[in-house]
Amino acid sequence: MGNRICELLDVKYPIIEGGMAYVGNGALAAAVSNGGGFGQVGSAGRSPENFEEEILLASQLTKSPFGVNLPISEHKDNQPYIDVIAKHKDKIKAVSISAGNPSPFIPIFKEMGLVVMVITATAKHALKAEKSGADIIVCEGYEAGGHNGGAELTTFSLVPHVSRIVGVPVVAAGGIMDGHGMVAAMTLGADGVQMGTRFVATKECQAHENYKQYLVDSSDDATTILTRKIGGVIRVLKSDYAFKVQKIDQETSSIEEILPYVRGSINKKAVIEGDFDNGWASAGQGVSLINEIISAEDVVRNIVEEANNVITNLKKIDVLTRCSN
């Protein structure tokens, strides 16, 4: 049986790289695609010019399909980024839309001939995205690193619900780091998975080595939440800086007071400059499952191998028969 994500994106494996702010670079996108997955160049934290440079780099490093991510609320003006995508639409297979209302943007990218993926955090928004023309729904659970939906629905509760009410393919995201997570997500009804944090800890990612090593050294409770009190949820690695921001969040009732501490420029200090004393870095809850920094190509292949082994072992277990005896 064919996989709908593989067919739509023309890839070997239904593994998608999330469009990560600052660190979703062209070399990483190309490596993921070369491994058989679907890489993406992120536009968050990039000027339109740098965004274009990374798209061109990805196209030079891979002959396989890749995409781009447009987080709507991250840019004061989305038009320059849309113009870059339009200019290079023949090099791009798909665009993922996140962090805002995708409805006005979906027809624009469909007209370009691109596959449109929409990141959602609730069933209501998934249905709306489908009705607006989305080709793929990415269900992002509360376990995911970075900015998450205010409903705080987990991957295990969101994916089975959405997969039953929409007709387009569903991709699971949030806390997935390995083949076990991939199989679990697809058992719940997902057609594939999207991962961000796992691809940070790779050789091709432009993230600072401090950030990568932080991920490798992390325990199961290594993440925490910022800005819950004032609305919006950001999952980050625990640090003295993160705890300071949480304290400020508890003491203030004004979003203007907390914003200077969580802006993208502060995120950049940690993820690009490696300064965790003065910046924060995103990470998903499954971060403790990362134990080495390897090529993104190998990450994809290892996940697929592990997933196939999990499926093989599951076939050997007749749960219902064993429980009834």
Side-chain angles (χ1 to χ4, degrees):
M1 294 179 63
N3 178 279
R4 295 191 293 173
I5 296 299
C6 291
E7 292 171 355
L8 272 172
L9 299 179
D10 192 23
V11 293
K12 191 173 182 179
Y13 308 121
I15 299 174
I16 299 171
E17 173 208 345
M20 302 170 286
Y22 295 102
V23 298
N25 53 301
L28 175 58
V32 173
S33 292
N34 285 336
F38 189 76
Q40 291 195 89
V41 175
S43 65
R46 301 187 187 280
S47 66
E49 294 76 18
N50 181 234
F51 181 45
E52 181 175 23
E53 289 171 359
E54 296 300 325
I55 290 173
L56 291 173
L57 178 60
S59 68
Q60 292 166 7
L61 296 176
T62 185
K63 299 301 181 184
S64 299
F66 69 92
V68 296
N69 171 249
L70 181 72
I72 300 166
S73 63
E74 293 295 316
H75 305 301
K76 292 181 179 179
D77 182 4
N78 285 290
Q79 192 58 52
Y81 297 90
I82 295 173
D83 291 342
V84 170
I85 295 170
K87 181 179 178 181
H88 299 291
K89 62 183 180 181
D90 293 338
K91 299 180 180 67
I92 300 166
K93 182 68 176 181
V95 57
S96 63
I97 306 173
S98 57
N101 178 16
S103 297
F105 299 89
I106 293 175
I108 296 173
F109 296 122
K110 297 274 282 189
E111 182 66 25
M112 294 181 193
L114 300 176
V115 175
V116 177
M117 304 185 286
V118 175
I119 289 80
T120 64
T122 66
K124 178 179 72 174
H125 290 134
L127 278 172
K128 182 179 179 182
E130 181 184 35
K131 290 178 180 178
S132 297
D135 299 298
I136 296 171
I137 301 296
V138 180
C139 294
E140 187 168 77
Y142 170 62
E143 301 95 323
H147 293 268
N148 287 314
E152 299 187 16
L153 296 173
T154 65
T155 305
F156 262 56
S157 61
L158 183 62
V159 170
H161 188 174
V162 173
S163 64
R164 294 178 188 182
I165 63 174
V166 301
V168 297
V170 171
V171 170
I176 300 168
M177 303 286 173
D178 58 15
H180 285 84
M182 183 175 181
V183 172
M186 296 182 78
T187 301
L188 292 172
D191 295 87
V193 296
Q194 176 175 290
M195 300 184 297
T197 307
R198 183 60 193 92
F199 286 122
V200 174
T202 57
K203 295 177 181 178
E204 297 84 2
C205 184
Q206 72 179 94
H208 195 280
E209 292 304 313
N210 289 354
Y211 183 15
K212 296 180 185 182
Q213 194 59 45
Y214 206 143
L215 297 176
V216 171
D217 295 338
S218 291
S219 60
D220 59 343
D221 64 345
T223 68
T224 188
I225 294 296
L226 302 183
T227 67
R228 177 182 279 124
K229 179 183 175 184
I230 62 170
V233 178
I234 311 174
R235 184 172 295 282
V236 304
L237 288 168
K238 289 179 177 177
S239 66
D240 288 342
Y241 182 84
F243 296 144
K244 180 177 78 171
V245 175
Q246 287 176 329
K247 187 173 186 296
I248 295 170
D249 188 34
Q250 288 300 314
E251 295 174 348
T252 183
S253 59
S254 169
I255 190 170
E256 286 74 21
E257 291 184 45
I258 193 69
L259 275 179
Y261 296 92
V262 294
R263 292 189 188 280
S265 57
I266 307 301
N267 178 210
K268 184 179 181 181
K269 285 183 179 295
V271 303
I272 297 297
E273 300 172 20
D275 182 2
F276 279 84
D277 292 329
N278 297 290
W280 56 273
S282 302
Q285 269 191 318
V287 63
S288 64
L289 299 174
I290 301 174
N291 53 34
E292 59 182 343
I293 300 168
I294 57 177
S295 167
E297 292 187 41
D298 290 332
V299 168
V300 174
R301 292 165 183 155
N302 290 349
I303 289 171
V304 172
E305 181 180 359
E306 184 179 53
N308 284 330
N309 288 337
V310 170
I311 293 170
T312 298
N313 290 333
L314 285 174
K315 289 178 180 178
K316 299 176 183 178
I317 303 174
D318 191 339
V319 178
L320 295 179
T321 301
R322 292 179 64 181
C323 289
S324 62
N325 289 336

